[in-house]
Amino acid sequence: MEPVEQPPATADVVVVGGGVAGAATAFHAARAGLRPVIVEARAAICTLTTPAAAGAFRLQFDDRDEWDLVRESAELFLNFAEITGQVRYDLGVRQAGYLWLTTDEAGADRQRELVARQQEWGQTDIEVLPGDEARQRFPFVGPNVVQARWRAGDGFLDTKQLTYGLAEGSGGTVVVNCRATGFDIEGGRVTAVRTERGRIAAGAAVIAGGPFSRALAATAGVDLPVECILRQKLIMPNVPQVPADAPMTIDDDTGAHWRPALAGAWLLHTDPATPPSPPMEEVPTDSAFAFRLLDPDSPVAAARTVPFWRDVWDEGAAHWLLQAGQYVVTPDHLPVIGATTVEGLWLNTAYGGHGIMESPAGGARLIDLMTGKADPAANPFRPDRPFVPRDQPTL
């Protein structure tokens, strides 16, 4: 895959957005026999929201429709070279597991109820661990943890390798430095995508523009009910206290979580009180975020359930840096996948922080809808669904 800066005159389907959702859409379009073109506003694909992600996947979900998406994506992750037909990009999948920790009995009850529901769906490899057993398996777990839920098959992957591998596997044209500005619509149908570098004639276009999806949809008269939420990632490149083989470890009571990365860790926290923000090309970082996760006196400190983070704080010499992105969320915190009211204009966006693990399958679902292989009425993520608000997941 060698990006170009001049768009072709025509395409079967134009995918707007060069993040993981756009690359997945192009890949599945090509598998269906379509000729895709990805247009990306920035100088390279996978440079805005996708690389700011935690780079992980899990089958421990409280929503069955999302769980189905991740199951489909996981098949791709675990068989990436075979399915994509390329060997240039390797996901480096490591199934280190996901470990969710709780410090009170109410949290333990919620965990048991959720695991029972997941097992009813057929996900029978999720375990409930009493506190002592959790500490036996994972010695870093604090003495205040009363219970954990655990799945060994969850894991990590490289988000840039995923995006580039899907784009490479699509065999499509990738156009960079090429911002989409709108659509030509004739008789209620898309006939072309307009860009700053020219017009691409196409009978189908997919908006997969992450934070900019709503504004782009509005140029076609489509109201996309999404908001952008700032999210921060704390990167600590060298922390000897972090076991290199540790799982993704989540405080189930606060949502604070960390995973091994580099020779240290990435730490994250999804604060449901964060207000919406406008879509941004340059997403600002917040130094206070690091202190909220590292200072043991913080109510969401990583040290609350894992004591070695207190040692990291007390020593004080570990370097850190911050990275920021934006979640794109709907009122029901489910993605938007499917046709709009404009014929030929499609949406694949608003994964609410789950884009790495869900959008590869979401791209397949979208192309099945586009080619008539799937029933639009059976699509739980259709754009015309009633967006019934639900509480924002903590992770």
Side-chain angles (χ1 to χ4, degrees):
M1 180 201 71
E2 300 300 331
V4 299
E5 293 196 359
Q6 185 58 42
T10 65
D12 292 336
V13 55
V14 177
V15 181
V16 181
V20 63
T25 302
F27 171 73
H28 290 291
R31 291 188 83 191
L34 301 173
R35 181 169 52 95
V37 171
I38 298 174
V39 294
E40 166 58 45
R42 294 158 73 92
I45 65 171
C46 194
T47 58
L48 185 61
T49 298
T50 298
F57 64 96
R58 58 183 165 92
L59 288 173
Q60 299 186 62
F61 263 85
D62 62 357
D63 181 89
R64 182 162 187 172
D65 292 324
E66 287 189 282
W67 172 74
D68 278 334
L69 279 181
V70 182
R71 278 196 312 134
E72 294 172 29
S73 292
E75 287 299 312
L76 173 70
F77 302 154
L78 298 176
N79 302 280
F80 194 63
E82 177 185 354
I83 293 174
T84 60
Q86 59 80 44
V87 294
R88 186 176 182 182
Y89 300 101
D90 181 0
L91 299 190
V93 171
R94 187 157 64 85
Q95 290 177 279
Y98 260 67
L99 180 69
W100 305 70
L101 308 174
T102 184
T103 62
D104 63 55
E105 290 303 327
D109 289 342
R110 288 191 298 270
Q111 285 191 341
R112 287 189 291 269
E113 290 169 5
L114 176 56
V115 171
R117 188 160 74 248
Q118 292 163 336
Q119 291 178 342
E120 287 175 359
W121 298 344
Q123 198 65 51
T124 57
D125 57 351
I126 302 173
E127 302 177 66
V128 174
L129 307 178
D132 287 343
E133 184 174 351
R135 280 179 285 277
Q136 182 179 6
R137 295 200 199 183
F138 307 99
F140 57 79
V141 171
N144 59 334
V145 170
V146 300
Q147 186 175 280
R149 55 184 170 100
W150 158 251
R151 180 177 183 267
D154 297 335
F156 313 139
L157 54 80
D158 187 307
T159 61
K160 296 203 71 145
Q161 296 285 315
L162 172 63
T163 305
Y164 273 81
L166 289 168
E168 175 89 357
S170 77
T173 301
V174 176
V175 190
V176 296
N177 289 317
C178 186
R179 186 180 303 276
T181 58
F183 306 92
D184 288 349
I185 299 172
E186 298 176 10
R189 179 179 181 84
V190 165
T191 59
V193 175
R194 297 194 302 270
T195 80
E196 293 177 339
R197 293 181 175 269
R199 178 180 176 275
I200 308 172
V206 180
I207 297 174
F212 297 94
S213 295
R214 182 173 190 174
L216 190 57
T219 67
V222 174
D223 181 22
L224 180 58
V226 300
E227 295 179 326
C228 298
I229 308 292
L230 280 170
R231 291 291 176 238
Q232 307 279 327
K233 181 168 76 176
L234 174 60
I235 301 170
M236 303 190 74
N238 187 14
V239 183
Q241 292 90 337
V242 175
D245 60 351
M248 175 73 84
T249 302
I250 304 107
D251 185 332
D252 212 354
D253 304 326
T254 69
H257 51 293
W258 58 272
R259 55 154 289 193
L262 307 173
W266 294 344
L267 297 92
L268 306 98
H269 176 242
T270 302
D271 183 355
T274 305
S277 55
M280 301 177 187
E281 287 275 6
E282 303 298 330
V283 186
T285 57
D286 176 9
S287 59
F289 179 79
F291 296 107
R292 286 197 295 273
L293 284 178
L294 294 177
D295 185 344
D297 291 333
S298 166
V300 298
R304 204 186 80 86
T305 54
V306 177
F308 72 64
W309 286 110
R310 177 178 289 275
D311 298 334
V312 174
W313 174 260
D314 288 342
E315 288 180 10
H319 291 274
W320 74 63
L321 61 150
L322 289 161
Q323 187 177 24
Q326 289 181 296
Y327 284 2
V328 184
V329 299
T330 59
D332 59 10
H333 297 279
L334 298 175
V336 180
I337 305 168
T340 71
T341 53
V342 177
E343 189 175 354
L345 182 61
W346 302 79
L347 297 168
N348 187 19
T349 190
Y351 284 88
H354 299 151
I356 299 300
M357 59 183 100
E358 292 181 7
S359 68
R365 298 274 188 100
L366 180 72
I367 298 304
D368 282 350
L369 291 163
M370 186 182 292
T371 57
K373 292 183 179 179
D375 178 7
N379 172 21
F381 310 113
R382 64 188 188 277
D384 64 348
R385 69 182 184 265
F387 288 88
V388 179
R390 69 176 178 123
D391 291 340
Q392 180 175 335
T394 58
L395 174 56

